[in-house]
Amino acid sequence: MNFDLSEEQRLLVDSARAFASRELAPHAAEWDRQHHFPVEVIRRAAEQGYLGLYIAEEDGGLGLSRLSASLIFEQLAAGCVATTAYMTIHNMASWMLASFGDAALKQQWLPGLIGGELLASYCLTEPDAGSDAAHLRTRARRDGDEYVLDGAKTFISGAGSTDVLIVMARTGVDGAKGISCFLVPANAEGIRYGRNEDKMGWKAQPTRTITFEGVRIPAGNRIGPEGQGFVYAMKGLDGGRLNIASCSLGAAQAALEQSLRYVEERKQFGKALAEFQALQFKLADMLTDLTASRQMVRLAAHKLDHKDGEATLYCAMAKRFATDRCFALCNDALQLHGGYGYLNDYPLERWVRDSRVHQILEGTNEIMRVIVARRLLEQGAMLDRLL
């Protein structure tokens, strides 16, 4: 793997950094305080292609690699973690439609999703099926030319403010093989939305429970054959884990840059904090952890782009490592700022709050360890095959 970015990728990074500096960073604190979902800015992001990053060009997207998409998400997250995290979810949901939906369904919905006229939510988690998603209970019953959905989804990002729901529902037997995937209009009759959850972080995007009671949708809104929904969900989550890890990289990069400015300006005992060796060591460790996390994410993206047989393993390892280490980096940056880091006047406490949930969603980091350990034990003495 070549660790140097191409000229095209450097231009993508520069463009995303400029967008984040102009459209996201100046407003992120206010969006957080006001619990404001910046739909108007997300639609301006669509003008840059950021809502269809890795959807194929023939379907209207930019057709970028997962590595290039990761680079963009990292830069955007340095401006606003919560808003960028929503955009990663929208990209994942739209990609699932583009990858597995039929031509008619894509023609009807994809242009609006890529162009930002429509926003999407991804609906997998349920009140009793979080980490154990294969045993979800939401059902889709075939009734002539329609399906009828009943059940509930929880912790759904964007819910109540989006237009399209990509829903995993049971159409067959218990377990993963009985799950199918559907596109459900968010305003369909029989859908009810719960309250906007009062979260620790990610306050710039709504999170609600969705209840489906006799919701009827055309049979043509099924994405792919019956029984393939769990397969699609897991394929989506490989990329989703890279996306959310990339958001952690952006938060950590911003926290490190803020820390460098602070230690160079702040004086104690007659000299700048940057002159204290203990703080120099802390900064060195922070940079090392950020670099290691970034390289793990880029390696996993490379594996996914090249359809490597171990891509799922690498995505799990990268998600676990990067979200753990980058959260710790943000927390260390807050500690380095002392009491100032705990104030809303500085962005440190927001970066800590916003990055903490990355260790939970897209599969908890404990589940990431399960994925890695199972694959490792399957290989046994043939460990070199994983490298």
Side-chain angles (χ1 to χ4, degrees):
M1 178 181 176
N2 182 0
F3 286 91
D4 293 328
L5 301 184
S6 68
E7 184 60 30
E8 178 187 7
Q9 288 171 328
R10 292 187 183 280
L11 290 173
L12 291 171
V13 166
D14 291 343
S15 179
R17 183 184 295 123
F19 183 89
S21 297
R22 181 178 70 253
E23 300 282 1
L24 301 178
H27 312 292
E30 184 65 19
W31 295 339
D32 179 77
R33 283 192 293 269
Q34 299 296 326
H35 296 201
H36 174 66
F37 187 42
V39 172
E40 67 287 349
V41 175
I42 294 171
R43 288 186 172 135
R44 287 201 288 276
E47 296 172 4
Q48 306 297 312
Y50 295 159
L51 297 192
L53 286 173
Y54 44 86
I55 291 174
E57 290 183 84
E58 54 265 32
D59 286 326
L62 292 186
L64 297 180
S65 67
R66 294 307 179 96
L67 175 56
S68 293
S70 170
L71 299 173
I72 290 171
F73 288 138
E74 179 180 344
Q75 295 303 318
L76 296 179
C80 180
V81 176
T83 303
T84 304
Y86 169 74
M87 287 194 276
T88 73
I89 294 166
H90 176 94
N91 268 271
M92 179 174 66
S94 300
W95 173 83
M96 291 178 69
L97 171 61
S99 298
F100 309 116
D102 63 26
L105 197 61
K106 292 197 293 185
Q107 184 177 13
Q108 182 180 358
W109 295 98
L110 262 186
L113 290 168
I114 294 170
E117 293 87 6
L118 303 175
L119 299 180
S121 292
Y122 176 74
C123 305
L124 175 64
T125 301
E126 298 185 359
D128 295 318
S131 295
D132 189 13
H135 290 90
L136 59 83
R137 296 181 180 180
T138 296
R139 287 203 167 269
R141 173 177 55 85
R142 185 71 181 256
D143 184 19
D145 293 332
E146 295 181 317
Y147 281 92
V148 183
L149 275 68
D150 291 282
K153 299 293 181 178
T154 194
F155 300 129
I156 305 304
S157 293
S161 298
T162 53
D163 310 283
V164 173
L165 309 177
I166 302 298
V167 180
M168 304 301 152
R170 187 165 303 285
T171 54
V173 298
D174 291 341
K177 293 182 180 179
I179 296 172
S180 301
C181 181
F182 298 91
L183 185 149
V184 182
N187 62 353
E189 185 176 353
I191 294 179
R192 291 188 294 108
Y193 295 95
R195 69 182 180 92
N196 186 9
E197 301 290 358
D198 189 9
K199 307 184 295 292
M200 172 182 172
W202 274 26
K203 294 179 181 291
Q205 57 162 284
T207 302
R208 291 183 171 90
T209 293
I210 306 177
T211 303
F212 303 90
E213 294 181 350
V215 177
R216 289 183 172 271
I217 59 170
N221 280 29
R222 190 187 68 226
I223 297 175
E226 282 196 3
Q228 289 298 300
F230 193 76
V231 174
Y232 299 162
M234 294 304 103
K235 287 183 177 179
L237 284 175
D238 278 344
R241 287 161 184 163
L242 287 182
N243 294 345
I244 213 63
S246 301
C247 289
S248 288
L249 294 176
Q253 177 73 35
L256 180 55
E257 291 176 355
Q258 169 65 33
S259 297
L260 285 173
R261 290 191 295 269
Y262 184 76
V263 299
E264 289 171 351
E265 296 170 0
R266 175 77 169 166
K267 294 184 181 295
Q268 290 285 280
F269 305 105
K271 58 182 180 180
L273 293 183
E275 298 181 44
F276 290 91
Q277 190 176 64
L279 296 184
Q280 293 175 1
F281 285 0
K282 174 60 68 178
L283 291 168
D285 288 344
M286 291 163 72
L287 177 59
T288 302
D289 285 349
L290 174 58
T291 302
S293 298
R294 181 174 284 135
Q295 296 309 323
M296 283 203 72
V297 171
R298 293 182 182 181
L299 175 59
H302 176 82
K303 296 283 187 181
L304 194 58
D305 282 330
H306 288 80
K307 296 179 172 55
D308 188 282
E310 300 297 347
T312 294
L313 169 69
Y314 277 84
C315 289
M317 290 194 294
K319 191 269 184 181
R320 200 287 301 168
F321 186 85
T323 58
D324 279 352
R325 296 318 309 155
C326 290
F327 170 74
L329 191 157
C330 291
N331 197 43
D332 285 344
L334 188 154
Q335 182 72 18
L336 187 149
H337 281 71
Y340 292 108
Y342 205 64
L343 300 180
N344 285 333
D345 295 339
Y346 285 77
L348 277 305
E349 57 86 27
R350 172 163 44 85
W351 290 330
V352 169
R353 289 188 287 107
D354 282 349
S355 62
R356 177 60 181 86
V357 74
H358 299 176
Q359 297 168 288
I360 298 172
L361 51 78
E362 312 291 25
T364 67
N365 283 5
E366 288 72 24
I367 292 297
M368 297 304 100
R369 291 178 172 91
V370 169
I371 292 170
V372 174
R374 283 178 177 171
R375 190 70 187 107
L376 175 61
L377 292 170
E378 286 172 0
Q379 287 299 103
M382 299 159 66
L383 177 61
D384 60 307
R385 293 191 179 181
L386 301 178
L387 303 178

